[in-house]
Amino acid sequence: MIPWLGAARTFPPLEGALKDPNGLLAAGGDLSPDRVVAGYRRGIFPWYNDDQPILWWSPDPRMVLYPHALKVSRSLGRTLRKNLFEIRCDTAFREVMQACAAPRRDQGSTWITQEMIEAYCELHRRGIAHSVESWSEGQLVGGLYGIAIGRAFFGESMFARRSDASKVAFVHLVHHLQAQGFGIIDCQMHTELLASFGAREIPRSVFVGSVNELVNYSGSSDSWPHSMSLSNHHTGAVLSS
């Protein structure tokens, strides 16, 4: 049995999270901004389907990307140099979430429920949730969103309507975070795409230790530009084959 959250915005100890399914910690509660932020500050995030109560997770191990360890494939590097997309920030947050929630061929129902969209849009209005968007000829063709607290960024989801559109947005995000002194990008769980960018799994205890320090920095998460650009001659990333 897992704990049921009531009105109090406290979470049980992470040591009580289940091993199967990996990281399930608690159920119930709500998606109020204070509760959601309190969760992220402790390495906990909501993830559930429409036919479920709100479920809270903290998997072990945790997939993370250290911004300085970003890897960019040679093919993606060529795409970046072509400047195919205009990269904007926070100009279409709701649209990015809705696009991430759209059905995909390899998935059934989405975990990005309407309740989740409204909750994160409120976090966006408060300057906590951010989107990075790829635009082409005035059309939103890819992007991602996540949560920034202090100098920790918690990635949530990404989508692409054009080849490499979300990957290009991700590279721009990582460079922005590195320039702003962010220490870690939470990728939650392992995927081959994230691993190709240099993300790796670390013990939950190590992840939480880093987050506990990084979320208490102030100022960095407020420095979000309206657009992002990369130098044509230097990407600051390790090229991989």
Side-chain angles (χ1 to χ4, degrees):
M1 295 291 292
I2 59 172
W4 184 266
L5 301 181
R9 296 192 178 106
T10 57
F11 291 93
L14 299 184
E15 293 75 17
L18 300 182
K19 296 186 182 297
D20 185 18
N22 181 17
L24 181 56
L25 179 69
D30 56 41
L31 294 179
S32 66
D34 288 346
R35 190 191 294 269
V36 173
V37 170
Y40 279 104
R41 292 179 68 92
R42 291 192 53 199
I44 302 165
F45 58 89
W47 183 32
Y48 65 103
N49 292 324
D50 255 334
D51 58 350
Q52 297 174 323
I54 299 172
L55 301 177
W56 301 88
W57 302 77
S58 185
D60 188 13
R62 191 74 163 236
M63 192 75 165
V64 304
L65 174 64
Y66 297 105
H68 68 272
L70 174 68
K71 295 180 180 179
V72 176
S73 69
R74 295 187 184 279
S75 61
L76 182 56
R78 290 192 291 270
T79 299
L80 287 164
R81 288 190 289 273
K82 292 178 182 177
N83 293 319
L84 299 176
F85 308 111
E86 177 190 359
I87 306 301
R88 305 180 190 173
C89 299
D90 291 341
T91 68
F93 184 87
R94 179 180 290 271
E95 290 85 347
V96 168
M97 281 204 73
Q98 290 171 332
C100 289
R104 307 184 191 191
R105 288 190 299 271
D106 58 342
Q107 295 178 343
S109 60
T110 179
W111 59 269
I112 304 175
T113 64
Q114 189 60 40
E115 181 182 29
M116 186 84 77
I117 291 174
E118 297 305 326
Y120 281 68
C121 283
E122 178 58 31
L123 290 170
H124 172 63
R125 285 189 286 270
R126 298 186 182 205
I128 300 169
H130 300 278
S131 61
V132 181
E133 310 139 14
S134 291
W135 293 78
S136 177
E137 299 179 345
Q139 300 295 315
L140 177 65
V141 295
L144 57 92
Y145 74 97
I147 300 289
I149 304 175
R151 292 181 184 171
F153 187 84
F154 304 86
E156 281 298 320
S157 188
M158 56 200 307
F159 81 99
R161 294 170 178 156
R162 299 272 182 88
S163 179
D164 288 340
S166 61
K167 295 179 183 178
V168 170
F170 184 74
V171 171
H172 281 75
L173 167 68
V174 176
H175 280 271
H176 169 72
L177 297 178
Q178 185 175 12
Q180 294 297 318
F182 279 65
I184 201 168
I185 301 170
D186 175 29
C187 302
Q188 297 181 351
M189 298 180 185
H190 180 275
T191 69
E192 291 302 321
L193 174 61
L194 293 169
S196 73
F197 279 114
R200 60 188 178 90
E201 292 181 323
I202 62 174
R204 180 172 59 207
S205 59
V206 175
F207 169 75
V208 171
S210 296
V211 167
N212 285 342
E213 177 183 353
L214 291 167
V215 296
N216 290 315
Y217 283 91
S218 61
S220 296
S221 60
D222 299 326
S223 304
W224 286 83
H226 293 300
S227 63
M228 291 182 180
S229 61
L230 293 177
S231 167
N232 287 330
H233 65 276
H234 178 63
T235 64
V238 177
L239 285 176
S240 59
S241 58

